[in-house]
């Protein structure tokens, strides 16, 4: 119990500072706050839900990742992407914002989108998905 109290006293304020600093930075740079938060690398502290509630954010995550960062080839990325794709799924693909070569991921988008279209799946934003826009 004492260890948990120490964690709560030390860790909770630090997580709140980090999340709040991130929100403030985005705001300063003109990024609209949509109330959503994705933990870096998907790693979540057990204290995160409490902090997010306090600062007015909702946690989201992907339901399926395809390890496109390994650059396994366009066909592999596309096949991995559509393997378990269903309405309401959130597919994690990387955009290269870190300067890495994401040409394979970019090239895999066309077959992924064709697959979705042929099966009547719509690509929607996270807010649309949360508002019932998944199909």
């Amino acid at each position: 119990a004492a260890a948990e109290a120490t964690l709560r006293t030390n860790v909770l304020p630090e997580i709140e500072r980090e999340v709040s600093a991130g929100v403030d930075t985005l705001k300063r740079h003109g990024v609209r706050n949509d109330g959503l938060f994705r933990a870096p690398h998907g790693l979540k502290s057990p204290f995160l839900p409490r902090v997010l509630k306090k600062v007015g954010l909702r946690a989201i995550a992907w339901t399926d990742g395809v390890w496109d960062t390994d650059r396994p080839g366009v066909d592999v990325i596309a096949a991995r992407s559509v393997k378990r794709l269903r309405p309401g799924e959130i597919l994690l693909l990387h955009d290269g914002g870190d300067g890495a070569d994401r040409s394979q991921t970019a090239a895999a988008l066309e077959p992924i989108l064709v697959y979705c279209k042929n099966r009547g799946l719509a690509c929607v934003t996270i807010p649309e998905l949360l508002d019932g826009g998944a199909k």
Side-chain angles (χ1 to χ4, degrees):
E4 184 178 326
T6 300
L7 276 174
R8 193 175 301 119
T9 302
N10 296 329
V11 174
L12 206 53
E14 180 59 28
I15 293 171
E16 186 175 343
R17 272 191 298 279
E18 288 182 14
V19 170
S20 295
V23 169
D24 292 344
T25 298
L26 292 171
K27 191 182 300 181
R28 273 194 320 275
H29 291 280
V31 177
R32 181 179 58 89
N33 180 355
D34 58 10
L36 301 174
F37 176 87
R38 181 180 79 77
H41 306 288
L43 302 173
K44 297 179 246 18
S45 158
F47 300 107
L48 187 59
R50 200 173 327 171
V51 169
L52 294 180
K53 184 176 182 179
K54 184 175 181 181
V55 299
L57 296 174
R58 180 175 178 180
I60 59 159
W62 57 92
T63 52
D64 207 4
V66 299
W67 297 102
D68 58 320
T69 53
D70 290 345
R71 301 188 71 238
V74 173
D75 293 339
V76 172
I77 293 170
R80 288 176 181 173
S81 296
V82 302
K83 186 176 183 180
R84 293 182 298 270
L85 203 53
R86 304 285 181 273
E89 296 286 313
I90 300 172
L91 183 62
L92 173 66
L93 295 170
H94 296 82
D95 66 1
D98 58 1
D101 178 6
R102 298 288 186 250
S103 58
Q104 291 182 5
T105 302
L109 286 175
E110 185 172 354
I112 294 167
L113 294 172
V114 167
Y115 173 91
C116 290
K117 182 179 179 183
N118 290 341
R119 281 155 186 80
L121 297 172
C123 296
V124 299
T125 65
I126 299 294
E128 289 171 328
L129 176 66
L130 294 174
D131 288 339
K135 176 175 120 175

